[in-house]
């Protein structure tokens, strides 16, 4: 008996087909171009890592490690996790290969988190990101944030705000965490159900909580930026001044501790005001000056950001941005009714000349092929029937013109590439 089950993409994931896929391609291409302009090299790492890379990297008390990671055992009984984010893998690769610093890596990757799926929140989402390892110069913080900001502008986004904070380094944060712990312990009963149970594990997580009760308690408590040591405060003010020098506005937000344990000093998030609060973070990042050590490497400063492709597309849609990021329309469609193999050689010649060309198959009628040509979005159709074939000619028709007479001309087969290029220009 045959099993007729049909399958769907798993919950919280999605297929991307044309024409939407052209936006993805354009977005990745634009980001690659920016990364190149800013001196970054593409780095590829495996989609899964030893689970320890993430547990140690993003922190076992983070929501992502605790509740959202896809952890599995392979057939050799090693415990791996699908990448929930890009940074830990890049830093693992840095520690493994010791490239010359500063090392500037960019990436595009799917990321897997077992979230409650909703608009802009998926179990497989896709990130564009950069990481710089080997310097704690505030100029790098400025450069990384500027790259993100300029990239969003290039995508046509206008209503994007940059929130910024400093988490300090181990020393100044340690003292602050003690104060926060005390404040929360005294008001534990007022926290949300989850944080009543878990705040002691990592009190900073409560600052990130979106529930009114936790916001209320933390608003009345100590704030991190007031407890920074002189060095961290100086670093933070240099980053803010550097951004201001480039004309990039930043809004200080003392709650911005972000969801992973690796952050130190600068943290930031870009928020698209056209989107609802559950999915308006279109990008975020920060410094992680201890992460390389946590993953077994030498002390090495680092900073980077990741940006969700789906969220960027949603933000463009919400702002009504319709500009294409890449041209993916066909130049030509070849219609061959000779009953011979003319189309095969013609499309090969045109494609070798750099043109985007498609054709019909299966020896269909002229009418049927014309229909496909119209649907294809191509600018021009090239028609070769028995007559043209015998005369060594091709008919070129402008598919966007209503005037049939003016819309077509016959040219010699030998000069077709030149004629087509002239018409396309
Ligand atoms: P993140 O804030 O968790 O940071 O994710 C970066 C971006 O990915 C978010 O701002 C959002 O646009 C998108 N994103 C995250 N989760 C989802 C989801 N479930 N569905 C759709 N989009 C999502 C990181 O991942 C850090 N690795 C960023 C970083 C790089 N920090 C330093 N370097």
């Amino acid at each position: 008996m045959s099993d007729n089950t049909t399958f769907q993409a798993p919950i919280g994931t999605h297929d991307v087909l044309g024409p939407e896929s052209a936006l993805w391609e354009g977005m990745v291409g634009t980001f690659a171009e920016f990364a190149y302009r800013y001196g970054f090299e593409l780095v590829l790492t495996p989609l899964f890592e030893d689970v320890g890379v993430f547990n140690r990297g993003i922190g076992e008390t983070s929501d992502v490690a605790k509740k959202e990671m896809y952890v599995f055992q392979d057939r050799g009984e090693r415990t791996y996790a699908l990448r929930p984010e890009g940074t830990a893998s890049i830093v693992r690769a840095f520690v493994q290969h010791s490239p010359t610093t500063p090392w500037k890596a960019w990436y595009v990757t799917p990321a897997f988190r077992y979230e409650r799926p909703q608009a802009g929140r998926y179990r497989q989402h896709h990130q564009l990101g950069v990481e710089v390892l080997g310097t704690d110069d505030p100029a790098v913080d400025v450069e990384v944030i500027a790259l993100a900001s300029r990239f969003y502008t290039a995508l046509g986004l206008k209503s994007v705000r940059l929130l910024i904070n400093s988490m300090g380094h181990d020393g100044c944060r340690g003292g602050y965490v003690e104060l926060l712990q005390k404040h929360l312990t005294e008001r534990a009963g007022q926290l949300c159900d989850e944080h009543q149970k878990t705040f002691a594990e990592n009190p900073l997580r409560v600052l990130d909580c979106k529930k009114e009760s936790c916001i209320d308690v933390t608003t009345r408590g100590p704030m991190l930026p007031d407890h920074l040591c002189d060095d961290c405060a100086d670093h933070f003010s240099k980053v803010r001044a550097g951004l201001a020098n480039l004309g990039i506005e930043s809004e200080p937000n003392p709650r911005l501790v972000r969801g992973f344990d690796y952050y130190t000093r600068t943290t930031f998030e870009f928020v698209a005001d056209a989107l609802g609060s559950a999915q308006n973070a279109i990008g975020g990042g920060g410094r992680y000056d201890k992460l390389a050590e946590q993953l077994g490497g030498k002390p090495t400063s680092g900073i980077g950001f990741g940006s969700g492709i789906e969220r960027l597309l949603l933000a463009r849609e919400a702002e009504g941005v319709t500009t294409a990021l890449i041209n993916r329309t066909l130049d030509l469609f070849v219609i061959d009714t000779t009953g011979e193999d003319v189309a095969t050689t013609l499309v090969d010649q045109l494609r070798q000349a750099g043109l985007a060309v498609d054709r019909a198959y299966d020896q269909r009628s002229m009418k049927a092929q014309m229909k496909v040509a119209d649907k294809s979005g191509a600018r021009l159709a090239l028609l070769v029937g028995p007559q043209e074939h015998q005369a060594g000619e091709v008919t070129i028709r402008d598919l966007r013109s209503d005037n049939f007479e003016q819309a077509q001309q016959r040219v010699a087969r030998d000069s077709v590439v030149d004629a087509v290029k002239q018409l396309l220009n």
Side-chain angles (χ1 to χ4, degrees):
M1 226 171 57
S2 72
D3 180 354
N4 287 327
T5 314
T6 57
F7 297 101
Q8 308 258 318
I11 296 167
T13 71
H14 48 95
D15 303 314
V16 182
L17 281 65
E20 194 201 347
S21 55
L23 284 172
W24 282 68
E25 201 186 337
M27 191 160 286
V28 175
T30 308
F31 192 74
E33 175 61 29
F34 267 78
Y36 166 66
R37 266 193 236 164
Y38 281 71
F40 286 80
E41 68 187 40
L42 176 65
V43 173
L44 308 170
T45 58
L47 270 189
F48 58 94
E49 298 270 358
D50 187 303
V51 69
V53 170
F54 302 115
N55 278 340
R56 267 203 262 160
I58 65 182
E60 276 172 281
T61 63
S62 67
D63 273 1
V64 170
K66 257 196 325 199
K67 301 187 234 164
E68 297 174 359
M69 233 159 25
Y70 282 85
V71 181
F72 64 96
Q73 281 213 329
D74 76 356
R75 289 167 197 271
E77 297 192 357
R78 300 171 196 90
T79 308
Y80 289 121
L82 292 184
R83 165 190 303 165
E85 59 99 51
T87 311
S89 307
I90 294 283
V91 176
R92 193 271 308 141
F94 172 82
V95 170
Q96 181 175 337
H97 303 285
S98 310
T100 320
T101 57
W103 188 53
K104 297 170 83 173
W106 79 271
Y107 52 90
V108 49
T109 181
F112 306 86
R113 300 182 190 176
Y114 195 80
E115 303 231 37
R116 199 143 50 90
Q118 50 185 296
R121 202 167 277 275
Y122 310 102
R123 291 190 175 162
Q124 176 177 335
H125 71 278
H126 299 79
Q127 286 192 20
L128 298 163
V130 301
E131 312 291 347
V132 185
L133 280 123
T135 165
D136 67 354
D137 187 336
V140 174
D141 304 43
V142 173
E143 184 175 296
V144 163
I145 297 171
L147 190 165
S149 170
R150 306 299 190 216
F151 172 59
Y152 299 145
T153 305
L155 296 183
L157 296 174
K158 294 200 168 65
S159 304
V160 176
R161 281 179 299 125
L162 165 62
L163 312 180
I164 195 162
N165 192 23
S166 174
M167 309 269 305
H169 77 305
D170 278 0
C172 48
R173 195 177 47 246
Y176 167 74
V177 169
E178 268 178 39
L179 287 176
L180 180 64
Q181 180 84 281
K182 184 163 174 290
H183 176 82
L184 298 179
T185 307
E186 284 161 6
R187 292 159 187 82
Q190 299 165 38
L191 297 173
C192 75
D193 289 350
E194 183 189 345
H195 284 124
Q196 288 195 16
K197 290 185 222 122
T198 59
F199 78 91
E201 263 178 25
N202 188 345
L204 288 172
R205 292 276 86 80
V206 185
L207 287 172
D208 209 22
C209 181
K210 305 288 180 282
K211 303 247 167 60
E212 279 299 320
S213 47
C214 285
I215 293 177
D216 196 47
V217 172
T218 47
T219 304
R220 289 179 280 123
M223 286 298 178
L224 228 170
D226 302 327
H227 299 271
L228 295 178
C229 66
D230 289 348
D231 279 355
C232 288
D234 182 52
H235 186 275
F236 190 42
S237 66
K238 282 186 174 138
V239 173
R240 296 214 53 213
L243 289 169
N245 267 338
L246 300 185
I248 298 171
E249 271 177 48
S250 57
E251 286 175 33
N253 181 336
R255 293 184 168 278
L256 194 72
V257 294
R258 308 221 349 108
F260 304 131
D261 286 353
Y262 53 58
Y263 289 113
T264 55
R265 291 194 164 175
T266 315
T267 52
F268 58 93
E269 212 154 84
F270 285 89
V271 174
D273 285 331
L275 295 176
S277 63
Q279 63 280 94
N280 65 358
I282 54 168
R287 266 203 171 276
Y288 42 83
D289 292 339
K290 288 280 165 190
L291 182 52
E293 257 174 290
Q294 271 155 14
L295 295 179
K298 294 195 205 105
T300 312
S301 300
I303 181 166
F305 79 89
S307 210
I309 297 183
E310 292 86 351
R311 299 247 178 119
L312 292 170
L313 290 172
L314 283 175
R316 269 173 55 100
E317 202 177 299
E319 284 196 24
V321 184
T322 52
T323 47
L325 295 168
I326 195 171
N327 176 18
R328 282 290 175 255
T329 45
L330 283 177
D331 296 316
L332 297 165
F333 197 94
V334 172
I335 295 171
D336 173 8
T337 56
T338 59
E340 295 182 41
D341 225 5
V342 178
T344 305
T345 47
L346 193 55
V347 294
D348 182 61
Q349 184 194 1
L350 293 158
R351 286 168 179 161
Q352 290 209 64
L355 295 160
V357 189
D358 206 357
R359 56 167 290 190
Y361 307 99
D362 302 324
Q363 307 269 0
R364 297 167 73 186
S365 70
M366 166 78 175
K367 201 170 151 204
Q369 292 194 45
M370 203 57 213
K371 231 172 165 177
V372 188
D374 277 330
K375 259 200 179 152
S376 75
R379 251 296 292 290
L380 305 173
L382 289 195
L383 293 89
V384 197
Q387 252 190 6
E388 282 100 341
H389 187 36
Q390 216 168 23
E393 288 179 348
V394 170
T395 299
I396 307 178
R397 182 182 295 178
D398 186 343
L399 290 172
R400 304 207 181 149
S401 165
D402 294 332
N403 186 329
F404 189 78
E405 288 300 310
Q406 285 173 8
Q408 66 178 35
Q409 56 177 290
R410 258 164 92 148
V411 298
R413 174 77 175 73
D414 292 348
S415 55
V416 67
V417 170
D418 288 342
V420 160
K421 283 196 169 167
Q422 217 168 20
L423 282 171
L424 289 172
N425 284 332

